[in-house]
Amino acid sequence: MKVEMRGLTKHFGSTVAVEDFTVTLEDGQLTSILGPSGCGKSTVLNLLAGIVPVTRGQILFDAEEVTGLPPELRGIGLVFQNYSLYPHMTVLGNISFPLEIKKVPRAQREERARNMAKLVHVDNLLHRKPRELSGGQQQRVAIARALVKNPKLLLLDEPLSNLDARLRLEMREEIRRIQQETQVTTVFVTHDQEEAMSISDKIVLMNAGHLQQEDEPQRLYNEPRNQFVADFLGTPPINHLPGQMKGGVFTMEGGQASFPFLRGTDAPEGRPLILAVRAESAHVPEQDEDGLFSAAVESIYAMGKEVLGYFGIGGHSFRCYLEGDMLPRPGTELPIAFRERGTFLFDKETGERLL
Amino acid sequence: MTAQRIKKYAYRDRPLRRALEPLAYLAPFLAAIAVFTLYPVINVVLMSFKEGYQMLTGRFDQVGAANYAYVINDRYFINALQNTSIYVAVVVPLSTVLSILIANLLNRKVKGMAFFQTAYFMPMVTSVTAAGLAWKFMFSRDFGVINQILSWFGVGKINWLQAPEWSLWALIIYGVWSILPFTIILMLSGLQNIDETHYVAARVDGAKSARIFFRITVPMLAPTIGLVLTINTISTSKVFNEIFPLFNGRPGPSYNLYTVVYYIYDQFYIKWKFGRAAAAAMILFLIIFAITMLQQVIQRKWSH
Ligand SMILES: Nc1ncnc2c1ncn2[C@@H]1O[C@H](COP(=O)(O)OP(=O)(O)OP(=O)(O)O)[C@@H](O)[C@H]1O
Ligand SMILES: [Mg+2]
């Protein structure tokens, strides 16, 4: 089902939870809503579900307006962060409860519940109570319960945040598999960028109630529209070098270093700017290559296959991956060069991307 | 010495100290229990077997079961048992059902709820005697508000407090009213332990209020309901205080409304038959104990 949100706005009293949010979700896709805590992700989900009324704007399901429709008429399945399984019902009872409400005859609803249980791999646990299940199993049951009435839209609100790291990896692949098997249009709310990057067809990135960018994961990472997007994505976080343009050359604050840009820029001279460089886009050049500036090693973190160096430059910390066999001592001055990809220029005040 | 070794030293090498230390901390509390609870209880047990016991002199004729024999053959005691049984059997279920319904209403976030919450908790902050007097007026045959309301439904005037056949029902109504607030508080705390998302999930799936109430609220409230049944059964079995203000300090209009505790009171303070009072108290204790055990067993079976 195609879902359109047009100028969707939600205020709680004087709190602006969501403001002028316009996004389209394509049929059969898995879209993540990503953003920091309190940015309005759950609110968007609840607006889609019809649990909270909208302040302004429209929601369309397959071009049909559903803005005022109560939740039970929207054909949605909902999965909560804490699963919210009914503790007094068995797994089978939980999964078939939505059908019980719809007055589907017992034999039929148990048959469908069993099929659902098979899909999410809990068919061997049908007669257990939720408290006798692990977190991952409860999660699977919650998904089965949400899917059993064949919803046109599946909404998941931070479904993995109560699981430990390993289970989280397993369950996100499971959610992807289940989504692809059922082809149900899915919205997945998370504040974990890695989760969103690995699971989604499309990511909708929000901040403070406003849409920042909607794109395929890789494009979001490679072509951020503003500084917030660039900052939010990537581990370690993107490096910031403040400065301004002088004669077509970016000059760092305090004049410690300046570098000519590979791509031409018409960024205004004299305005405060931020040069943002991903850690993997900076490197220590080979001998025959020139560095853009040199910086002193502050500390080195060897993390398995990668070595991350922390450098100090003009009072700023700068993170950069090093070649595997290189372990410089702290205090060593090393040259550093940037690659064009993963290097962006932002207006410091507006956050707007200039290059 | 590492922290782990210190621990080993303290706990493994000195088993006696390990066993006695907690006891030392508990000693003052245990002493208070012994003096104020254990001693009187033992005393009652002993007293119930002493025939012709004199409280002041401590003398008694002989040890035997005569007190028990008297009590279980006493017409007033049998009547007291009947009254108490009916009282418990009506007040406990009625107050449980009412408290679930009222707590469910109070649990909503609606404007003006504070007023209703205060209103429902009034009985808790008023003295039983003062409230009892107020109820006495409400039960009044000619001027009482209860008969007034009933008359709107075509019910004739009921002589709640003077007619023996109605007096137990007056006591029951008053009993439900006075036990409700505490029961509602327990139910409310039980309701607040139910995560809101359970309701949201059911509502999104299209469940109506009645189904949500019976299929989700009540089952999830079951542990609280069990607790309430147990506590209220015990407390209503001891019905006593409620009788004085309603019936001018008599057990009903024609001495028809003895309850077991009233009977004990009567034997002890009025008739000075200490052994009979103790025997009646023992019988009441055994009955309450048996019922409570039965409840526990049933609840345990029910919850699995
Ligand atoms: N029922 C409510 N009443 C008042 N304010 C609310 C309500 N629900 C949410 N808000 C506010 O709206 C904003 C967005 O909340 P929302 O729950 O959508 O954030 P979120 O992105 O889901 O955060 P998190 O990642 O912490 O779950 C927050 O400022 C929050 O305080
Ligand atoms: Mg949220």
Side-chain angles (χ1 to χ4, degrees):
Chain A
M1 184 176 70
K2 184 171 166 178
V3 177
E4 291 166 78
M5 289 169 267
R6 295 189 188 154
L8 206 55
T9 298
K10 178 69 196 177
H11 297 174
F12 291 105
S14 60
T15 314
V16 177
V18 176
E19 184 72 39
D20 196 20
F21 189 79
T22 300
V23 165
T24 301
L25 313 177
E26 296 303 332
D27 179 42
Q29 285 204 337
L30 192 158
T31 307
S32 288
I33 300 182
L34 178 65
S37 185
C39 72
K41 307 180 295 290
S42 299
T43 305
V44 169
L45 207 75
N46 292 341
L47 291 171
L48 282 176
I51 300 168
V52 299
V54 307
T55 305
R56 226 177 303 123
Q58 287 179 303
I59 301 171
L60 289 85
F61 286 0
D62 276 338
E64 203 176 307
E65 171 141 18
V66 298
T67 317
L69 217 58
E72 64 271 22
L73 299 180
R74 294 194 183 192
I76 48 167
L78 206 51
V79 175
F80 299 91
Q81 181 177 340
N82 59 1
Y83 323 135
S84 291
L85 298 177
Y86 307 119
H88 52 288
M89 298 183 196
T90 60
V91 167
L92 189 64
N94 265 284
I95 300 178
S96 56
F97 190 62
L99 300 176
E100 183 189 320
I101 295 170
K102 284 191 158 182
K103 304 197 170 68
V104 176
R106 174 171 228 118
Q108 210 178 323
R109 69 178 186 241
E110 290 199 347
E111 153 105 40
R112 273 168 69 182
R114 274 172 214 279
N115 289 338
M116 250 328 129
K118 212 167 280 166
L119 173 74
V120 302
H121 298 163
V122 292
D123 41 335
N124 54 336
L125 307 170
L126 288 176
H127 299 291
R128 296 230 195 136
K129 292 280 176 67
R131 75 181 118 83
E132 299 161 335
L133 302 179
S134 72
Q137 290 166 338
Q138 291 186 31
Q139 179 66 86
R140 289 167 189 269
V141 176
I143 294 171
R145 184 179 66 180
L147 286 175
V148 75
K149 39 175 196 163
N150 294 322
K152 292 176 287 175
L153 179 63
L154 178 63
L155 305 172
L156 306 126
D157 193 349
E158 310 216 17
L160 304 179
S161 48
N162 281 1
L163 301 176
D164 66 50
R166 188 181 288 262
L167 254 180
R168 196 140 57 199
L169 281 178
E170 182 189 319
M171 280 312 293
R172 83 181 182 213
E173 278 159 28
E174 277 295 280
I175 288 177
R176 189 59 173 153
R177 173 186 68 79
I178 294 164
Q179 193 269 331
Q180 282 179 341
E181 273 179 41
T182 56
Q183 282 297 310
V184 60
T185 311
T186 303
V187 181
F188 182 97
V189 164
T190 178
H191 58 246
D192 182 338
Q193 44 152 325
E194 200 192 317
E195 218 164 270
M197 294 291 276
S198 65
I199 203 177
S200 326
D201 293 311
K202 188 170 85 176
I203 294 178
V204 172
L205 186 58
M206 293 181 72
N207 185 35
H210 290 265
L211 172 67
Q212 300 297 311
Q213 188 168 353
E214 53 167 326
D215 245 318
E216 288 157 22
Q218 218 47 47
R219 266 190 66 80
L220 206 66
Y221 187 77
N222 291 331
E223 296 298 336
R225 225 170 58 191
N226 60 34
Q227 194 185 343
F228 176 84
V229 179
D231 286 351
F232 195 81
L233 296 175
T235 4
I238 199 163
N239 294 301
H240 287 177
L241 296 173
Q244 48 184 276
M245 297 304 287
K246 279 188 185 152
V249 171
F250 179 85
T251 308
M252 266 189 72
E253 218 169 61
Q256 283 100 348
S258 55
F259 0 89
F261 252 92
L262 313 170
R263 289 167 287 181
T265 175
D266 48 5
E269 304 264 323
R271 255 186 97 73
L273 304 174
I274 297 278
L275 182 70
V277 186
R278 296 219 184 270
E280 70 272 19
S281 296
H283 62 287
V284 176
E286 305 284 326
Q287 258 123 14
D288 52 346
E289 202 184 330
D290 276 340
L292 287 171
F293 61 92
S294 68
V297 177
E298 280 178 347
S299 50
I300 296 286
Y301 292 89
M303 306 173 295
K305 64 184 200 306
E306 288 156 338
V307 178
L308 185 64
Y310 278 65
F311 294 82
I313 172 166
H316 300 281
S317 186
F318 189 92
R319 292 164 295 267
C320 160
Y321 283 107
L322 303 177
E323 296 301 317
D325 48 357
M326 208 160 106
L327 281 172
R329 304 190 136 278
T332 319
E333 289 264 337
L334 286 176
I336 288 179
F338 301 155
R339 291 190 194 93
E340 196 172 345
R341 193 176 135 157
T343 301
F344 315 105
L345 194 62
F346 297 107
D347 188 302
K348 189 174 179 182
E349 275 154 26
T350 62
E352 190 194 342
R353 171 140 168 228
L354 302 171
L355 187 73
Chain B
M1 213 194 265
T2 65
Q4 212 174 1
R5 285 186 62 191
I6 292 171
K7 220 168 165 182
K8 260 189 198 160
Y9 171 76
Y11 285 100
R12 199 194 287 158
D13 298 349
R14 295 186 167 187
L16 188 66
R17 184 174 163 182
R18 187 180 161 192
L20 291 182
E21 203 179 287
L23 218 56
Y25 295 126
L26 287 171
F29 176 69
L30 291 177
I33 293 261
V35 171
F36 295 110
T37 306
L38 220 50
Y39 172 73
V41 167
I42 291 170
N43 230 352
V44 169
V45 177
L46 296 178
M47 209 192 296
S48 71
F49 290 103
K50 293 174 182 169
E51 295 172 9
Y53 180 67
Q54 292 303 314
M55 194 81 174
L56 294 177
T57 59
R59 272 199 216 138
F60 57 93
D61 304 339
Q62 62 188 45
V63 171
N67 293 325
Y68 288 92
Y70 177 88
V71 166
I72 56 176
N73 288 312
D74 186 352
R75 176 167 79 77
Y76 287 104
F77 184 73
I78 304 298
N79 182 239
L81 270 182
Q82 281 169 351
N83 288 334
T84 308
S85 304
I86 295 172
Y87 184 84
V88 172
V90 177
V91 172
V92 171
L94 198 58
S95 63
T96 305
V97 170
L98 283 176
S99 66
I100 294 175
L101 295 176
I102 295 171
N104 216 36
L105 290 176
L106 291 180
N107 200 27
R108 275 163 219 200
K109 296 174 200 87
V110 180
K111 272 187 194 138
M113 205 36 97
F115 169 77
F116 287 102
Q117 285 179 347
T118 315
Y120 283 111
F121 298 133
M122 274 283 283
M124 274 197 95
V125 293
T126 40
S127 84
V128 181
T129 317
L133 286 174
W135 275 87
K136 201 173 138 179
F137 292 117
M138 302 210 294
F139 278 126
S140 148
R141 192 187 103 95
D142 294 315
F143 313 107
V145 67
I146 293 176
N147 277 348
Q148 185 102 48
I149 292 170
L150 288 177
S151 72
W152 299 341
F153 301 98
V155 180
K157 285 186 175 169
I158 294 173
N159 203 348
W160 291 100
L161 300 179
Q162 266 84 49
E165 69 272 26
W166 284 107
S167 56
L168 178 58
W169 298 101
L171 184 66
I172 283 173
I173 291 170
Y174 176 58
V176 169
W177 177 82
S178 64
I179 206 175
L180 259 185
F182 178 64
T183 314
I184 291 172
I185 287 182
L186 287 180
M187 292 296 184
L188 259 180
S189 78
L191 283 178
Q192 270 151 18
N193 277 335
I194 302 177
D195 196 297
E196 175 73 21
T197 54
H198 289 108
Y199 301 128
V200 177
R203 211 147 30 86
V204 166
D205 289 335
K208 300 275 183 298
S209 320
R211 187 189 298 269
I212 291 176
F213 181 75
F214 287 112
R215 290 286 277 134
I216 296 170
T217 310
V218 173
M220 288 186 75
L221 203 57
T224 310
I225 296 173
L227 178 75
V228 162
L229 287 176
T230 305
I231 292 179
N232 281 1
T233 302
I234 294 173
S235 73
T236 51
S237 301
K238 299 190 290 188
V239 53
F240 169 66
N241 275 332
E242 290 79 352
I243 297 170
F244 284 85
L246 284 187
F247 304 102
N248 300 327
R250 278 182 293 137
S254 54
Y255 294 88
N256 63 317
L257 209 52
Y258 274 100
T259 65
V260 176
V261 174
Y262 200 105
Y263 180 88
I264 295 169
Y265 160 84
D266 193 52
Q267 291 294 335
F268 196 102
Y269 288 99
I270 313 290
K271 304 205 165 70
W272 289 24
K273 300 291 184 200
F274 308 114
R276 291 175 189 168
M282 288 305 298
I283 293 171
L284 177 64
F285 165 75
L286 289 175
I287 293 174
I288 294 178
F289 186 75
I291 292 175
T292 310
M293 284 296 121
L294 194 68
Q295 269 181 354
Q296 295 298 323
V297 171
I298 291 171
Q299 274 166 32
R300 204 155 297 157
K301 275 220 179 107
W302 197 45
S303 67
H304 282 303

